[in-house]
Amino acid sequence: MKLSQELIAILAVGVTLVGLQVTLFVSMRSEMGRMETRLRGEIGVVRGEMNVLREDIRHDIDALRIDIQDIREDVRQLRDKLLVPAAGA
């Protein structure tokens, strides 16, 4: 009879450990789901910020291109003014 009580005690401990493992697994799975949701949200925010930065950079590059074109035109006009007297002389 004593062996049977020891066996019951061992089984009870085993069942308790399995229950704890299942509880831990379910809890971790739930937490991982919440983390995944938060991470997806943060990735979406980062992508949005990257798009804004990309557009800002494109705008800046376009402005630089316009400035460069203006400078080229100014240089052409200055060159033409400087070369006109030499051509007339």
Side-chain angles (χ1 to χ4, degrees):
M1 194 70 161
K2 197 169 194 169
L3 182 62
S4 153
Q5 290 176 344
E6 289 176 2
L7 184 57
I8 290 173
I10 291 171
L11 289 173
V13 169
V15 167
T16 301
L17 289 175
V18 168
L20 289 173
Q21 287 176 333
V22 168
T23 302
L24 179 63
F25 174 77
V26 170
S27 174
M28 290 189 68
R29 186 172 179 188
S30 175
E31 180 61 26
M32 287 174 58
R34 286 191 296 271
M35 288 172 59
E36 180 184 9
T37 301
R38 284 193 306 264
L39 184 58
R40 286 181 188 271
E42 290 176 16
I43 288 172
V45 169
V46 169
R47 283 180 180 164
E49 290 173 355
M50 286 175 59
N51 286 334
V52 168
L53 290 174
R54 184 180 302 120
E55 289 303 314
D56 288 347
I57 290 169
R58 284 183 183 158
H59 181 300
D60 291 345
I61 289 173
D62 289 342
L64 284 173
R65 285 181 180 149
I66 291 170
D67 289 345
I68 290 169
Q69 289 173 352
D70 290 345
I71 291 169
R72 284 181 177 167
E73 184 59 33
D74 291 345
V75 169
R76 282 188 201 110
Q77 289 176 5
L78 181 60
R79 182 196 66 203
D80 291 345
K81 286 181 184 178
L82 293 174
L83 291 179
V84 168

